[in-house]
Amino acid sequence: MLRIHSFESMGTFDGPGLRLVVFLQGCNFQCLYCANPDTIPIGKGGKLIEEAEVLRRAISERPFFGKRGGITFSGGEPTVQAQALIPLCRQLKEEGIHICLDTQGSIRNAYVDELLSIVDIVLLDCKHVLPEGHRRLTTQSNTNTFATAEQLRQMGKPVRMRYVLVPGYSDQPEALHALGERFGSYENIERLELLPYHTYGKHKYETLGREYPLEHIHEPTPGEVYAAREILEQYFPVVWTQ
């Protein structure tokens, strides 16, 4: 059984092509800008769904995937449930369905290693490259994320690295240069996805009776996004933004 928060059909943002996106419940991070705070609790929330139902849905939507699309496991943090995902992903591969894993790379164990060996591409979320900045945003260390990035490099696994631009938190030029200096030479990183911070999930905090942590932070302006992109393009061959 998988604990699943929700599904999204015809997703165009979470990996190549059209995708069935499965948002799994549970995350070990506490990101200040989390757009889905209701997916954070581990072991509660969401719905328990049989792996066979996910497989059935993926097969039924396969005609829409085309040559590039497939299924994406997102969250939450999907590697929280890596052990249960392994047999499902093996079945998906037997059906010829392309698999994308959207992860922040902080959970490292034998189950995650096996899962990474099965999936076709990884969306690796780097929250912040500087240790103090990462802890400020997530309450956690970024050491494991770096280790996972290196592991994926050694595997030759295709990666799209994601970086959320949060004014005052992750937009400092020194942080952007450090990101490029660390990962710009990784030949398996197909592109760096620069994602402007947004407040789409703010209403969910109100529903949960919680204060929105970044109430005082504005969404980055086009000029701020452009300035960040100019820095990152010095290091990454492809910088994509919304």
Side-chain angles (χ1 to χ4, degrees):
M1 299 284 279
L2 288 166
R3 191 172 289 276
I4 294 175
H5 175 269
S6 57
F7 293 90
E8 178 186 345
S9 295
M10 303 299 179
T12 59
F13 179 64
D14 299 278
L18 289 174
R19 312 194 71 83
L20 168 63
V21 187
V22 184
F23 296 94
L24 283 90
Q25 182 73 24
C27 185
N28 58 320
F29 274 16
Q30 298 284 332
C31 296
L32 295 180
Y33 55 76
C34 181
N36 297 301
D38 46 334
T39 68
I40 293 176
I42 296 175
K44 59 181 180 179
K47 296 180 180 179
L48 287 173
I49 296 176
E50 293 279 358
E51 291 88 337
E53 171 59 17
V54 181
L55 180 64
R56 185 200 65 77
R57 290 190 63 149
I59 292 173
S60 71
E61 295 189 20
R62 182 166 49 188
F64 302 102
F65 294 158
K67 294 182 178 180
R68 298 179 64 243
I71 189 169
T72 296
F73 293 105
S74 186
E77 170 50 49
T79 58
V80 168
Q81 301 184 61
Q83 183 177 3
L85 279 174
I86 289 169
L88 171 58
C89 286
R90 292 204 180 279
Q91 290 178 295
L92 288 163
K93 292 310 300 176
E94 289 174 4
E95 293 291 337
I97 295 174
H98 184 275
I99 305 171
C100 178
L101 182 70
D102 182 1
T103 176
Q104 24 87 338
S106 70
I107 298 178
R108 295 180 55 75
N109 55 47
Y111 296 121
V112 175
D113 290 343
E114 187 171 354
L115 183 62
L116 292 176
S117 74
I118 300 170
V119 303
D120 296 288
I121 188 171
V122 175
L123 302 181
L124 184 61
D125 299 313
C126 181
K127 309 296 184 180
H128 205 296
V129 74
L130 302 178
E132 64 277 11
H134 194 274
R135 285 193 177 278
R136 185 183 178 206
L137 273 173
T138 71
T139 75
Q140 304 295 319
S141 167
N142 57 11
T143 301
N144 280 353
T145 301
F146 289 174
T148 297
E150 180 58 32
Q151 178 183 0
L152 293 167
R153 182 187 195 181
Q154 293 178 9
M155 294 170 67
K157 185 71 65 175
V159 167
R160 292 182 178 183
M161 179 166 280
R162 292 182 148 185
Y163 188 82
V164 179
L165 191 72
V166 186
Y169 283 83
S170 61
D171 65 338
Q172 303 90 343
E174 60 269 26
L176 299 171
H177 281 292
L179 179 68
E181 289 166 0
R182 183 162 195 112
F183 296 115
S185 63
Y186 279 40
E187 59 281 352
N188 64 316
I189 296 180
E190 297 181 346
R191 70 188 195 187
L192 187 283
E193 297 188 350
L194 180 63
L195 310 179
Y197 157 74
H198 61 73
T199 58
Y200 301 159
K202 182 179 176 180
H203 68 282
K204 295 183 180 180
Y205 290 82
E206 297 170 355
T207 301
L208 294 170
R210 292 171 51 187
E211 182 179 347
Y212 185 61
L214 296 182
E215 183 68 47
H216 59 295
I217 300 299
H218 69 273
E219 295 182 353
T221 66
E224 289 170 329
V225 175
Y226 179 80
R229 182 170 184 164
E230 274 199 318
I231 292 175
L232 294 169
E233 285 179 336
Q234 298 174 38
Y235 302 95
F236 295 95
V238 179
V239 178
W240 177 93
T241 190
Q242 289 176 292

